[in-house]
Structures are given as C-alpha cells and as structure tokens.
Amino acid sequence: MNTLFLIFMTGLIHLVPAPVKTTLKEGVFTLNNSLKVYVAPQAKKTAADAAVYFFETIGPSMGINAVYTNTQPSGNVLIFELKDATEVPAEGYFLEVSPTCIIISASNGAGFFYGVQTLLQLLPPYVYEPVYHPDQDDPSLSCAVPCILIEDYPRFSHRGMMMDVSRQFYSVTYVKQYIDWMAKHKLNRFHWHLSDDNGWRLEIKKYPLLTEKGAWRGPGEVLATSYGHPGERYGGFYTQQEIKDIVTYAAKRHIEIIPEIDLPGHGKAATGSYPEILCNTSGEAELSIQGVSHNVWCATREENYKMLEDIIREMVSLFPSKYFHVGGDEVVTSQWSACSLCRDFMHSHNMSEPIELQSYFMGRMQKILKKFGKTMIGWDEVMEGGELDRKDVIIHAWQRVDKIKEATSKGYRVIAQPAAYCYLDMKQTIHERGLMWAAIIDLEKVYSLDPIKTPGLTPEEARLVMGVQGGLWAEMLDKPARIAEYQTYPRLCALAEVAWSPQENRVWEDFNKRLSQTHFERLYYMGINFRIPYPDAAYVNGYICARTDYPWMVIRYTCDGSEPDGRSPLYTGPISTDNPEKYLFASFYGNRIRSIVREVDLPYDRYQRPVTRVTGNVAIHPQTPYTVLEDNDFNTYLRVVKPLEEGQYILYTFESPVTAGRISVLTGLPGVDIDPADYAHVEYSADGLDFVPSGSEWKDGRCVFAPKGPVKAVKLCFDKGNMFLTSYIQDLRIDK
Ligand code: ACM
Ligand code: ZN
C-alpha cells in the first residue's frame, strides 16, 4: 500500500492539537474485529478508563468491541503500558503503531486518555459518529492505521473552556456533550460559570430561594426577562445529584470542573432571591456595566460571609477540584459607599476607597475557601484595592493581555483568558452574530495567542502562567439553534493547540490545513454544528461572481427570498442578472453544514436615502437625539433609557413620498442587535395622516415589510411587555 496515499486517507499528519514529536514509519496496522486488548498488570488502574473510552467510541461506528486478554498476544493487539513519571510527563503519552501492535504508554490516566484521543485521530473521521459505517469505499483501507511513533505531552497544565450557564441555561445532556467535545481536544478544565445577574444555576439546599427564584428570568420574576425570550419564564438549574453526575462524567474524560459563583458583583440572582444580602442603601443605585442594579453583596454584613461559607460547604461536597472561582469582576463599588454599614467599616479600618472593600471581601472568601482546602481563583480585578495571599490566589486575566504581566509580576499564578483572543461570544466576522466590544475574533486571531509572549514577561513570570482558556458568555447565544457550538468550533480547536502544542510546532497555515482537510470531517461526525466561512459574492458588469477560498466547500444560492439549503442550485460560474439584490448565497460543507447566508455585495448603494424627519415620545439618551435617525448612516442609533411603553412611538416622515419594494424597521444595537424592542408593530401612511398596518409581523426586534404604493411616513409603535431599561433604534433601510 502506498504510504503517502495512506497518510492522506487517514489524516495522519492532521492531528489537532499538533503533538510534540511524530515519526512516520513503514507499514500499517490493520484494525479489525479480531483486535485484542492487553492492559499490562501495572497499568490496570490507570489505563482501564481510557481503554473503555476507546471501545465506546469505535464500537458503534466500526463494529469492533473490546476483547481483553490477560496474556500478551504476539499480534493484532492494542497494548496499554505503564511508564514511570520520569519517562513520560504527566498527561503525556507515547503512541507506537507497528504492523503487529499498537502500544500506548503513559504514566497516568490522563496520558492514556490522550493517547487514545490521538489514536482515534489516526482512524477514519467517521469513528466519532455512533452509527455503523460498513459502506466506506474501501473498508480495509479505512481501518488501516499507519505505523508511527508519537511522543506527546501538553505545553500548559491548565487547558480550559468556560461556559456561562447563567445567561442561557444548558441541559445536563448538552453540558456533558460540550465536555466530551472538549476532552476530544485534550482540554482538561471546564470552568462552569454557575451564577451571575441572570440566573443562579446550582441547587443549594440551605438556601432554596437561590434556585426557586434566582434560576428564573421573565415577567414578574426577580430577574429581568431573558434576552431573546420576551414574555417567557426562562431558566433552570442543576440539582446536586445532576452536578455530581456531570462531575463524574467529566472526570472520566480527565476534565476537572472548576465551579464559579460570581461575587460580590454580578450577584442579582442571589440578591434578588435574598435581598437582605444587599447594602442598606436607598434611592437610585448605579447600574452595572450590563445595566443591572442592586447586584452587589454587602461587603461588611457578617451574615453574608456565614451564608457564603454555607454555600461553599455544599459546593465542596460536589466539586472535588482544588480550585474554586469566586468572580470578583465588574463590581459596582458605589453601593458600598452608600451603605452605612460599609462606610462605618471603612472608617474603622482606615480605608479611604470602596475598592479596598473589594480586596477585603476577596480576602474573606480566600480564607473561607482555604478552610475547605480550596484555592481561590478570581477575575483580574481582585488585584485592585489591596494585596491578597499570592500563594493561595490565582488570577484569571481577562481584561487585557497586560493583566498577565501585572499579575505574574506581583507573584500570582495566572490563567490567561484575554478577552480579545479568548471570548468566543465575540463575532467571528463583522457579518456574523455576536458581540464585538473586545474584538472581532476570527480563527487566526485565536490561534495567534501565545500567553508567554506577553510583552515584558520574564522567564520567571512566564512560569506562573498555568495555561489558557476560552470563555463562552451566553447572553447572545439564544439563537439561532446551536449557536453555542457555532461560536465554539472551530475556534476551540485553535485554542486547544495554543494550550497543548509546543509553540515551535505551531504554524497557522499548517493548522488551517489540518483543520480543513481532516479535522472538520471529525467535527462533522462528532455532531458539532461548527462554523464554516461564508462565500463572497460580488456584482460586476451585470454578473454575480461568487467565490470561496476553500476547495472543500460548495456554494449554493437562491433568488426567491428563501435561504439556500442542500437542494438549492450549485453555483458553478458567474450569473447574469439585472437583479442581484434578489440573490442569497451560502457555502456548504458537504450538504450538511451551512455557512451564514449572505447577500451580494453591490458596487452601488442598495438603499435609498431620502430626506427624513424623525420624531417620537420615548425616553432618549441626551447624546442620541432623534436626528441620529435622520442621517441615513446605518451605524448611528437612538438609545432609549427607560423600558419602552405601550403607546410610545418613533415616526419617520419623508420629505417626499418614497416608492420601495421593501422597508426594514430595525431595533437593537447596529451590527450586534443586542437590546432590541421585543414588542412593537409597524404602520405606514401614504399621506402622513392615515396609517395602515405594515402587514408584516414584528420578529427578533425588526419588521421588514413591502408597502403597497408610495410611503410618506413609517411609524414604529411600541406595544406592552418591553422590560429592558436600554434599547436601541436604528435608521430605516429602504431598498431601491
Ligand atoms: C468578565 O468578562 N466580566 C470576566
Ligand atoms: Zn454594605
């Protein structure tokens, strides 16, 4: 058999994350159902789970089951061998494939597990799908494993991913699935953001209101309506039994779960459930950066520390990790300045700034955690306002890369999660869904991160960097379906390589090739709804020309207003048309994974920009007068600073009546679409006096309608039910 052909077929050189050292050899091992498994006696304790995982994965797809043997057979065997820790670093492994046997050797369970993960990547990608695949073109070839020697171990001991289950709630099944996908990428820490302003997700028996009240968002609840779920009671929580089940599931995959309850800010779910937690203030409170009021634990109410100790005690029985994350980010400290208890405390302790209370609060938490043998992790703001115990506090650097330097130079250990590289809730391109306050983060940007390359970091400081992780904040992950996966993959693949592979082995072009030529196929068979790039479609000299840089993608299109699907016409060459506005394009991986749908880029403005006057009766921010909606600049917006009420409106009146095929009335922040009006309808008028309904419904903060005849005015009318303090209104978009 031709080895090069095999390399191509098996994706041999397409391992993700890239291993430390790979030596290709002559020949193949043929994997078939006469395979035996021999776990050497000394390896029984450490390797058993990895062997089970291997056969659980390939059993359904290849029809090969585990047949264990107590004596080492001479051929056709998968061997697990224990090595001394001096020979293989923790979590490292050797994987040797020869024509007669496959040997995985490691010094601990994680090493065996990662050896198995790499072996799975030497098999055809379909092994990840729990469906029997007897009809591959050539079964004998598809089960041939190339002879190879791989020596591998991780660069960082902390290789993590954070999931925010407060803003969106994810089921037990989904969390497990998410964890399993992480494990397949050799990540080993699941940072579980279990509480925030938007939901408390963890059953605490002593404080049942935390989940009876604090796990639910919606009208009449203590927590504001969930973004994207107006009018609904939305939420959920994990019982202690479910938590234990997930922790066990993760541990089998060598993933340690680090729980986070976010304190003392981001605490609305707790303070809404138990208001006595709050400072004794009155009157208007400063809003947090996310627009939430009264979400800070009083820093000096002694009962709060008692309650927190009780909560931690219950958590300790659920989470064996030695690390507990207690937040510390974005605290509105003015609540403390306004509280007589906190003020008295500051006075008697010679504190001049409320930020010193933050340090005091964190110090108290660190001591509580220490009582239970836990080490505290806090977001990088916990460095402000005073010194914490450097030996016993880990800083989670998120705001900027230079926080890595700041923390390590103070002697703290650090987990790097710089937002501009690692916040996977950020947009991947300007056209895609997501936030962008930190950056637009494409795959290459994630891949470019090297936390040790932080400017000014000394070798000694670099040793304090425990590793790196991604963060998936969830407020905008309500739609479309499975957007959590779309945002996570393939960016997590890049992050996994940042965390695992030696820096000298990391080359973007090589990674991108391994990813697109083979790893995408694995992601597909894993069942992940991963992102693929969309095609570019331009209109030139009467033709639409679409293109993609990726030979593994096809482009499909429609011209009837529907979105392209796997049956839509294939784009095979320039399309002659006078109506490029009618066309929609998308790229497809097979017919199964679709990119976002895109319109054609036109060399001219697709919109009319009539002279418009805008009036209304909503509560506007002083810096955004109604005139911002008159400039036909689609980047400017009106900001509304009180919940929109029934009877309020925005009226767009044109100097001369406008004839248009389509008018779009849009709310939400332009380009991001967060904070739309949830309840509204649109009317229009031919004369500016008599208004008729637009005929199109209000959906996802917008109404797109086709007016019958010329339009003199468009009226955006708000209905009952809008709850958010802040919302945004955009300029009209009037098609030509
Ligand atoms: C954070 O993004 N507030 C940690
Ligand atoms: Zn207070």
Side-chain angles (χ1 to χ4, degrees):
M1 221 170 282
N2 177 316
T3 309
L4 278 178
F5 181 53
L6 255 173
I7 291 169
F8 177 71
M9 289 304 291
T10 56
L12 170 63
I13 51 166
H14 293 171
L15 303 171
V16 176
V20 172
K21 190 166 174 210
T22 303
T23 314
L24 190 62
K25 305 208 164 168
E26 280 291 311
V28 295
F29 177 93
T30 303
L31 193 74
N32 57 33
N33 54 15
S34 49
L35 178 75
K36 302 271 186 306
V37 190
Y38 176 68
V39 182
Q42 306 86 334
K44 283 235 156 35
K45 237 171 90 188
T46 39
D49 279 355
V52 169
Y53 186 94
F54 180 68
F55 285 97
E56 272 175 7
T57 308
I58 69 162
S61 54
M62 300 185 97
I64 299 176
N65 296 313
V67 179
Y68 289 92
T69 157
N70 284 327
T71 51
Q72 187 168 343
S74 57
N76 211 0
V77 60
L78 169 61
I79 299 171
F80 291 87
E81 261 181 19
L82 190 69
K83 287 238 193 259
D84 194 81
T86 54
E87 295 171 273
V88 193
E91 304 189 273
Y93 64 91
F94 284 103
L95 171 62
E96 183 168 9
V97 181
S98 66
T100 54
C101 64
I102 299 173
I103 305 172
I104 298 176
S105 38
S107 62
N108 68 1
F112 285 116
F113 185 75
Y114 297 134
V116 157
Q117 292 300 348
T118 300
L119 177 57
L120 288 169
Q121 291 199 359
L122 296 178
L123 301 180
Y126 69 72
V127 293
Y128 291 105
E129 190 177 49
V131 168
Y132 188 44
H133 281 259
D135 295 325
Q136 297 297 310
D137 294 345
D138 182 347
S140 66
L141 182 64
S142 64
C143 297
V145 187
C147 290
I148 195 166
L149 176 62
I150 295 174
E151 178 188 350
D152 201 13
Y153 49 85
R155 182 180 185 202
F156 292 111
S157 63
H158 182 106
R159 306 179 302 280
M161 185 66 207
M162 187 213 81
M163 190 185 214
D164 163 18
V165 295
S166 176
R167 293 170 176 85
Q168 305 291 328
F169 178 68
Y170 296 97
S171 69
V172 170
T173 308
Y174 195 78
V175 171
K176 283 183 175 174
Q177 180 70 87
Y178 200 84
I179 286 171
D180 187 53
W181 290 331
M182 283 171 58
K184 287 176 162 60
H185 291 85
K186 302 190 173 86
L187 297 189
N188 67 346
R189 301 274 193 270
F190 180 65
H191 168 189
W192 206 0
H193 188 77
L194 285 161
S195 83
D196 210 301
D197 294 320
N198 323 79
W200 182 285
R201 304 290 176 215
L202 163 69
E203 179 190 30
I204 298 293
K205 297 202 167 109
K206 189 152 185 189
Y207 299 98
L209 298 187
L210 286 173
T211 45
E212 281 171 26
K213 289 187 174 183
W216 302 97
R217 306 175 67 177
E221 303 294 333
V222 294
L223 301 182
T225 304
S226 170
Y227 178 70
H229 297 264
E232 273 176 51
R233 184 172 192 254
Y234 174 85
F237 66 94
Y238 308 103
T239 65
Q240 294 200 350
Q241 195 49 48
E242 286 170 334
I243 300 261
K244 283 183 185 160
D245 179 34
I246 291 172
V247 168
T248 305
Y249 179 91
K252 277 201 182 334
R253 287 155 179 76
H254 297 276
I255 289 190
E256 183 176 315
I257 298 191
I258 299 176
E260 179 187 357
I261 49 169
D262 204 347
L263 302 166
H266 284 276
K268 187 74 181 185
T271 61
S273 308
Y274 292 95
E276 60 272 26
I277 291 171
L278 290 165
C279 283
N280 60 7
T281 57
S282 56
E284 292 228 339
E286 187 189 344
L287 301 183
S288 74
I289 188 149
Q290 286 83 12
V292 181
S293 73
H294 299 102
N295 70 343
V296 182
W297 291 61
C298 177
T300 59
R301 181 177 177 266
E302 204 49 38
E303 295 88 333
N304 282 359
Y305 294 108
K306 165 86 180 54
M307 178 173 175
L308 286 165
E309 184 164 336
D310 291 341
I311 290 172
I312 298 289
R313 183 176 295 108
E314 290 195 31
M315 289 175 70
V316 165
S317 69
L318 307 173
F319 296 101
S321 172
K322 82 168 178 253
Y323 304 115
F324 271 41
H325 201 311
V326 285
D329 57 322
E330 298 176 323
V331 183
V332 180
T333 55
S334 58
Q335 281 294 283
W336 295 330
S337 324
C339 165
S340 62
L341 217 57
C342 287
R343 268 202 315 264
D344 289 350
F345 187 92
M346 283 175 65
H347 186 70
S348 60
H349 288 75
N350 287 327
M351 293 181 183
S352 53
E353 299 296 334
I355 192 75
E356 294 171 65
L357 277 179
Q358 171 161 309
S359 193
Y360 168 74
F361 182 96
M362 284 297 156
R364 292 285 303 259
M365 287 315 298
Q366 184 261 328
K367 288 198 184 80
I368 291 172
L369 289 169
K370 196 170 176 147
K371 248 197 223 176
F372 294 103
K374 304 293 180 185
T375 298
M376 181 177 111
I377 304 179
W379 297 109
D380 55 47
E381 291 98 319
V382 304
M383 291 187 286
E384 295 165 23
E387 293 278 311
L388 295 169
D389 179 348
R390 289 175 197 159
K391 293 268 169 310
D392 215 36
V393 173
I394 293 167
I395 300 298
H396 206 144
W398 73 275
Q399 295 190 78
R400 290 179 310 279
V401 170
D402 62 17
K403 291 286 171 187
I404 301 170
K405 168 74 185 168
E406 183 185 333
T408 53
S409 67
K410 289 179 174 165
Y412 293 107
R413 283 173 290 162
V414 168
I415 296 164
Q417 188 182 324
Y421 296 83
C422 296
Y423 273 28
L424 303 190
D425 52 318
M426 294 296 126
K427 282 175 183 289
Q428 313 200 43
T429 63
I430 189 69
H431 299 298
E432 287 165 89
R433 192 164 164 79
L435 297 170
M436 55 181 172
W437 58 262
I440 292 176
I441 305 178
D442 63 16
L443 186 65
E444 191 171 355
K445 173 121 199 227
V446 178
Y447 195 77
S448 72
L449 176 64
D450 178 0
I452 299 300
K453 279 270 156 56
T454 303
L457 212 64
T458 66
E460 201 179 314
E461 288 163 356
R463 277 193 286 278
L464 293 172
V465 177
M466 298 165 66
V468 60
Q469 69 170 52
L472 191 68
W473 300 100
E475 191 65 343
M476 287 203 71
L477 303 189
D478 60 303
K479 69 169 194 280
R482 301 178 65 191
I483 189 175
E485 290 151 60
Y486 184 92
Q487 294 293 55
T488 306
Y489 290 92
R491 289 188 292 186
L492 179 139
C493 310
L495 200 68
E497 194 148 314
V498 173
W500 179 280
S501 306
Q503 184 63 16
E504 60 273 20
N505 286 10
R506 298 211 297 120
V507 177
W508 158 251
E509 290 75 15
D510 173 57
F511 167 76
N512 203 18
K513 187 173 94 185
R514 282 181 277 124
L515 184 76
S516 57
Q517 289 188 2
T518 305
H519 199 67
F520 275 169
E521 194 68 1
R522 297 188 192 117
L523 298 181
Y524 170 73
Y525 281 115
M526 286 177 203
I528 296 176
N529 176 41
F530 60 95
R531 177 206 184 254
I532 59 167
Y534 52 79
D536 293 317
Y539 188 56
V540 186
N541 297 334
Y543 287 89
I544 300 174
C545 301
R547 61 180 283 281
T548 160
D549 287 336
Y550 302 89
W552 44 268
M553 295 193 321
V554 296
I555 301 173
R556 294 180 185 275
Y557 67 93
T558 55
C559 53
D560 61 0
S562 67
E563 298 203 330
D565 64 22
R567 287 157 307 176
S568 304
L570 267 178
Y571 173 82
T572 52
I575 300 168
S576 168
T577 177
D578 292 332
N579 299 109
E581 308 82 5
K582 288 193 161 42
Y583 284 75
L584 293 174
F585 287 80
S587 40
F588 287 78
Y589 181 79
N591 275 341
R592 311 163 299 196
I593 300 284
R594 186 181 77 176
S595 71
I596 59 160
V597 175
R598 290 282 294 139
E599 297 179 339
V600 178
D601 291 325
L602 300 176
Y604 50 81
D605 194 349
R606 72 168 69 229
Y607 299 113
Q608 302 182 50
R609 295 171 189 261
V611 176
T612 309
R613 195 172 124 64
V614 177
T615 53
N617 62 353
V618 299
I620 57 177
H621 192 282
Q623 280 171 358
T624 63
Y626 288 104
T627 48
V628 296
L629 300 181
E630 296 174 353
D631 58 8
N632 286 307
D633 174 347
F634 301 139
N635 296 311
T636 58
Y637 50 82
L638 184 91
R639 180 168 172 193
V640 183
V641 292
K642 292 214 167 119
L644 290 159
E645 290 172 19
E646 188 177 17
Q648 291 185 325
Y649 65 88
I650 306 276
L651 180 65
Y652 304 79
T653 307
F654 307 122
E655 191 175 69
S656 316
V658 162
T659 302
R662 191 170 69 159
I663 297 181
S664 305
V665 185
L666 307 167
T667 63
L669 199 61
V672 178
D673 296 338
I674 200 159
D675 293 331
D678 287 323
Y679 296 95
H681 65 276
V682 171
E683 299 172 352
Y684 69 98
S685 166
D687 57 8
L689 300 170
D690 292 327
F691 283 79
V692 295
S694 70
S696 293
E697 66 175 312
W698 186 260
K699 190 158 178 289
D700 297 334
R702 59 182 56 202
C703 170
V704 180
F705 69 100
K708 297 189 177 71
V711 178
K712 172 72 179 166
V714 174
K715 191 171 184 185
L716 165 56
C717 313
F718 300 105
D719 295 327
K720 201 161 151 227
N722 292 297
M723 291 183 64
F724 282 102
L725 272 181
T726 299
S727 33
Y728 299 95
I729 317 291
Q730 303 182 26
D731 296 21
L732 291 181
R733 299 204 194 184
I734 305 160
D735 288 25
K736 279 193 170 146

